[in-house]
């Protein structure tokens, strides 16, 4: 039976939603939002080489759809530095807003020409990682020089022109150079400087066009007016000046206007600026108080109109967000009644996100092939429709060497198989940019996009902004591309062990930032949080975060050397990791005190939440955020978990290396160091894991007041069917060392489980009773006051439950544990008469008193309790302990059962689940797949998966294939996933069931 059609909802809504727990939130079949219907309009865009391109798009499409189409058309990954500029009806130049529909911005789109230009000038051109991007920046500098916007002295101007002509006509030849300069003006007053330009040009012999562009940007970026766009204004005294945002992204600048040009008179660093605002024609800069400064707290400038003020204010907002923020700011909630001020915000990736993405993307390794020596380089952009546009020789060369005509599908298919052409989109000459189905999908700002021609069944056009995680078709990568990439890297097993250290350290550092950044930002600023708690968290986690940031940097550098990406000629000495681990683990020893304080943080946070209902609500709200993808308390214990991972990695290295290997001694010494620390903290970890689990279960239950009690230990939770007068009914059972609780899940606003009864373990007996009741896998719990007949979903589940319950009964005989008289609501005794139906029980849930809240509040719906409920399975404390040891991160290729291509994902395995990201820089997962109940196997021959290192996950009709990069990583993924999908070995369970120290 095919997979059912999932409900249409956003990724954020579906992540963790109860109804999707049986399947992955990555399932195919979620169609992208269609392009808005309506009349198409032809938009004219002038490129940086002054050629024009025509794009057909719906009038109701957003500005970002058009911009992404332009970037995709150019195969431009770092498109975030650019923008589309146009003259509005008031004759002012404005940027196309990415959020607003085109129809609301362009009054006469057919008669408006948009200019594709550089919007954000980075302080260092080395931050531009793509050669194509630097080429476009070079064209922008050429334009700015030509129109006199980029002012400088004669020497700098001549030097820049020499690099431009080196790029265009090649090495210096006197007569050719002079003739070229006489026929082409690059600066306003060029004639007096021709000899100086030729002198500089003669020194550029041998420079390629790419190197010339680089040198041009190197000169330009040092100029005061580089990237400066002036906005006329007046100060309070009426003095004419201009305002600008500097290309460094750190300043708001004031320039004094005079007959000699503009002279900078003031610069206000972002750290000094408290607020930028405008009121009618007045632009206001509010500064932070500074006793040592003579500036006023608020600086006021008068501009020509309110619109001028608003335009400049918007530019400031975007510059600040792009250069200063780590991620795109979240939209503010819309007010219900009325608005105050502008709701404009920056939309798009920040510079940090762009750099991180391109560094991780293998597309950046593709050379830009539009260079034509000894010829004028014009646009590398193939025009969709050539209406009165001249096609130059350079342009033809670009199309012939890099692009394949859309009119030749057979050639296009050949091109798709070549890694060097993977990024090159195909644009047709038809009015609606239609392409053949075989054409590859282009890139939109570094993200895979759907061809705009791909119509959905209802005839509408899908959006090019579809997330690749939610649509398999738009994230296909070729197999050849992956094979070429794989051959470039070392094959030594030690390398892949070291790479596991790198990938898991990246995830671990992100997990630390959930506490040090996200949690402190959400809760730490609130007055409800005690100062002692703030100080404890800060003093505990900040030193750890600082240490691991440095450690990760060293591991990244070592792996780069090992892979040959840096100093490729150096071999041997850098093909090891033990020295890095030994040095850093010795540096971690002084932080053992911080590691010991994890339990203190956990206890103090719980104590503070008990004392403050507001703080409890803040913590609950934080847990509902996407960044908190697992329970908050697990993040707090992560540093203790990480030590175990270091120990495992070093054990693998020591087992792999012969005693004579150069890395063996360091690895063995590092293993001794980390083993010593782990042994010191082991008792604390076991105790805190139990405490954390009790706290987590308390949030999932209604009807229990003192679940977290001294001496109480969690043993197992899971689904069993309880036999009552109405037959077998699904119930959730919780086994502790002194009592068994059974609950049901009603359709409540809180997603919690209501306690219906409790069975004290003291004096209890258990017997198998399948024959007695005629129910498969049934057993009876005989208590002092009542007996309960339950049935498991399988023989294995029955054996696990019976074994754990027998062990717990034995523990209860000798334990001085907590009293089994739990304070439960709506229960006059420990029996639930006739055990009414789930629907009837749920009616009481919203009216019954709650343990800590007066009214129902939102609650995480994707906890392990909910997964066990939906998968009809169980999990034990031993399984949780094993899960702590089995955590893994890294890139995997994923394929659906009926799809052809493989999609690259960053995957984190933790807490019995796979969490899927686009890249390791993402702050939260876009989807998750709980693995309890799944099986992991190797594909059979009949499945036609003719690739190495592939494993298969399947649950009922849901099937997913994953590819890893090496034999070692394949083994590791199989190992950790089996820990969540295969029952724990009986011997390990028995050996692990020892009382926790208190």
């Amino acid at each position: 039976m095919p997979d059912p059609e999932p409900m249409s909802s956003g990724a954020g809504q579906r992540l963790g939603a109860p109804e999707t727990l049986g399947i992955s939130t990555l399932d195919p079949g979620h169609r992208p939002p269609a392009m808005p219907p309506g009349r198409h309009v032809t938009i004219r865009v002038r490129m940086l080489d002054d050629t024009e391109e025509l794009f057909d798009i719906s009038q109701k499409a957003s500005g970002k759809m058009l911009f992404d189409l332009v970037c995709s058309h150019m195969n431009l990954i770092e498109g975030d530095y650019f923008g589309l500029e146009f003259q509005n009806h008031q004759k002012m130049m404005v940027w196309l807003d990415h959020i607003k529909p085109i129809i609301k911005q362009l009054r006469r789109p057919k008669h408006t020409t948009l200019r594709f230009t550089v919007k954000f000038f980075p302080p260092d051109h080395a931050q531009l990682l793509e050669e194509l991007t630097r080429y476009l920046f070079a064209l922008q500098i050429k334009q700015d020089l030509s129109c006199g916007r980029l002012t400088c002295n004669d020497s700098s101007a001549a030097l820049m022109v020499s690099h431009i002509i080196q790029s265009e006509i090649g090495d210096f030849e006197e007569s050719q150079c002079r003739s070229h300069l006489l026929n082409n003006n690059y600066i306003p007053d060029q004639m007096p400087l021709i000899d100086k330009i030729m002198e500089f040009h003669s020194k550029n012999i041998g420079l390629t066009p790419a190197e010339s562009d680089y040198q041009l940007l190197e000169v330009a970026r040092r100029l005061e007016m580089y990237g400066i766009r002036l906005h006329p204004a007046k100060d309070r005294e009426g003095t004419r000046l201009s305002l600008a945002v500097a290309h460094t992204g750190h300043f708001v600048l004031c320039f004094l206007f005079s007959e000699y040009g503009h002279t900078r008179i003031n610069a206000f660093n972002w750290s000094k600026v408290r607020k930028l605002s405008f009121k009618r024609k007045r632009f206001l800069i509010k500064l932070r108080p500074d006793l040592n400064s003579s500036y006023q707290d608020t600086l006021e400038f008068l501009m020509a109109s309110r619109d001028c003020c608003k335009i400049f204010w918007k530019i400031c907002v975007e510059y600040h967000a792009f250069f200063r923020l780590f991620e795109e700011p979240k939209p503010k909630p819309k007010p219900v009644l009325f608005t105050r001020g502008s709701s404009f915000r920056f939309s798009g990736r920040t510079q940090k996100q762009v750099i991180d993405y391109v560094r991780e993307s293998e597309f950046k390794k593709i050379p830009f092939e539009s260079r034509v020596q000894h010829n004028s380089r014009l646009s590398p952009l193939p025009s969709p429709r050539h209406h009165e546009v001249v096609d130059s020789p350079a342009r033809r060369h670009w199309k012939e060497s890099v692009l394949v005509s859309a009119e030749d599908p057979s050639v296009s298919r050949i091109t798709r198989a070549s890694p060097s052409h993977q990024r090159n989109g195909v644009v047709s000459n038809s009015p609606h940019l239609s392409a053949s189905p075989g054409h590859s999908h282009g890139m939109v700002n570094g993200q895979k996009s759907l061809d705009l021609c791909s119509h959905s069944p209802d005839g509408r056009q899908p959006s090019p902004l579809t997330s690749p995680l939610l649509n398999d078709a738009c994230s296909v990568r070729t197999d050849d591309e992956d094979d070429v990439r794989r051959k470039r890297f070392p094959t030594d097993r030690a390398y892949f062990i070291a790479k596991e250290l790198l990938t898991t350290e990246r995830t671990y550092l992100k997990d630390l930032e959930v506490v040090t950044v996200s949690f402190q930002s959400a809760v730490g600023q609130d007055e409800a949080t005690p100062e002692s708690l703030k100080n404890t968290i800060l003093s505990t986690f900040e030193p750890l975060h600082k240490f691991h940031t440095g450690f990760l940097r060293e591991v990244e550098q070592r792996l780069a050397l090992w892979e040959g990406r840096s100093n490729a000629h150096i071999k041997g000495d850098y093909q090891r990791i033990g020295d890095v681990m030994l040095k850093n683990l010795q540096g971690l020893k002084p932080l053992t005190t911080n590691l010991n304080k994890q339990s203190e943080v956990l206890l103090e946070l719980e104590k503070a939440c008990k004392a403050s209902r507001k703080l409890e609500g803040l913590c609950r709200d934080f847990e509902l955020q996407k960044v908190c993808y697992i329970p908050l308390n697990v993040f707090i214990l992560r540093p203790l978990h990480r030590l175990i991972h270091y120990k495992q990695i070093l054990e693998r290295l020591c087992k792999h290396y012969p005693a004579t290997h150069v890395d063996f001694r360091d690895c063995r010494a590092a293993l001794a160091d980390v083993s010593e620390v782990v042994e010191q903290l082991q008792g604390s970890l076991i105790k805190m894991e139990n405490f954390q689990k009790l706290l987590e279960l308390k949030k999932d239950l209604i009807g229990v007041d003192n679940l977290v009690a001294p001496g109480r230990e969690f043993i197992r939770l899971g689904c069993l069917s309880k036999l009552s007068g109405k037959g077998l009914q699904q119930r959730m059972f919780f086994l502790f060392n002194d009592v068994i609780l059974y609950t049901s899940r009603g359709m409540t606003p809180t997603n919690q489980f209501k306690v219906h009864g409790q069975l004290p373990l003291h004096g209890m007996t258990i017997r198998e009773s399948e024959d007695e009741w005629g129910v498969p896998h049934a057993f009876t719990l005989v208590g002092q006051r009542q007996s309960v007949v339950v049935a498991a979903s399988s023989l294995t589940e029955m054996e696990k439950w019976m074994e754990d319950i027998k062990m717990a009964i034995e523990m209860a005989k000798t334990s001085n544990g907590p009293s089994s008289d739990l304070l439960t609501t709506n229960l006059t005794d420990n029996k639930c008469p006739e055990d009414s139906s789930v629907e009837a029980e749920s009616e009481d849930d919203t009216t019954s008193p709650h343990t800590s809240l007066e009214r129902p509040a939102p609650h995480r719906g994707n906890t392990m309790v909910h997964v066990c409920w939906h998968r009809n399975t169980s999990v034990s404390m031993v399984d949780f302990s094993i899960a702590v040891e089995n955590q893994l991160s890294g890139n995997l290729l994923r394929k659906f059962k009926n799809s052809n291509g493989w999609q690259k994902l960053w995957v984190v395995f933790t807490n019995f689940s796979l969490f899927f990201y686009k890249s390791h820089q993402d702050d939260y997962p876009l989807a998750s797949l709980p693995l309890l109940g799944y099986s992991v196997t190797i594909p059979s021959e009949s499945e036609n998966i003719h690739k190495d290192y592939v494993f298969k996950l399947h649950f009922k009709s849901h099937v997913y294939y994953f590819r890893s990069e090496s034999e070692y990583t394949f083994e590791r993924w199989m190992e950790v996933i089996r820990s969540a999908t295969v029952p724990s070995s009986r011997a390990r369970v028995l050996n692990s069931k020892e009382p926790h120290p208190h």
Side-chain angles (χ1 to χ4, degrees), residues 701-705 753-755 822-825 827 848-851:
L701 296 174
I702 297 175
V704 173
D705 191 36
F753 288 80
K754 182 180 178 181
V755 175
L822 296 176
L823 303 179
T824 57
T825 62
L827 290 175
S848 60
H850 291 257
T851 55

Side-chain angles (χ1 to χ4, degrees), residues 12 14 37 265 296 357 375 530 534 606 640 656 725 792 839 974:
R14 297 176 60 235
I265 55 173
Q296 307 169 48
Y357 174 80
N375 216 331
K534 294 179 187 177
E606 172 62 14
L640 294 175
H656 168 68
E839 288 75 20
M974 290 287 283

Side-chain angles (χ1 to χ4, degrees), residues 33 285 915:
I285 303 177
F915 296 92

Side-chain angles (χ1 to χ4, degrees), residues 719-721 728 767-771 773-780 789-799 801-802 872:
C719 255
L720 292 170
S721 295
L728 289 171
R767 70 170 188 269
E768 194 171 341
S769 52
E770 183 173 335
D771 296 336
W773 297 98
V775 178
H777 319 309
F779 57 96
T780 303
V789 180
V790 294
S793 59
S794 66
L795 177 62
T796 304
E797 279 292 303
M798 184 188 77
E799 290 174 345
W801 273 107
M802 290 187 69
N872 198 17

Side-chain angles (χ1 to χ4, degrees), residues 582-650:
L582 178 60
K583 170 194 166 188
N584 281 277
L585 287 173
Q586 288 174 343
L588 187 61
K589 275 190 172 182
L591 296 177
T592 305
T593 306
N594 297 70
L595 296 169
N596 268 314
K597 287 172 68 177
Q598 310 301 312
S599 56
E600 183 182 328
V601 173
L602 207 58
L603 290 165
E604 195 164 338
L605 179 60
E606 172 62 14
K607 181 181 175 182
C609 286
K610 274 187 176 180
S612 169
R613 187 168 297 175
K614 183 179 180 184
L615 178 60
E616 183 184 31
L618 288 171
C619 291
R620 183 185 60 247
D621 292 342
F622 178 73
E623 281 205 318
L624 293 173
Q625 294 183 19
K626 291 179 182 179
V627 71
C628 195
Y629 65 100
I630 53 178
L632 171 62
N633 289 336
V634 177
F635 287 109
I636 292 176
L637 295 181
R638 273 292 193 249
L640 294 175
H641 301 164
R642 190 62 179 145
L643 291 174
I644 299 173
H645 304 156
Y646 293 148
K647 184 170 181 257
Q648 292 174 336
I649 286 169
L650 286 164

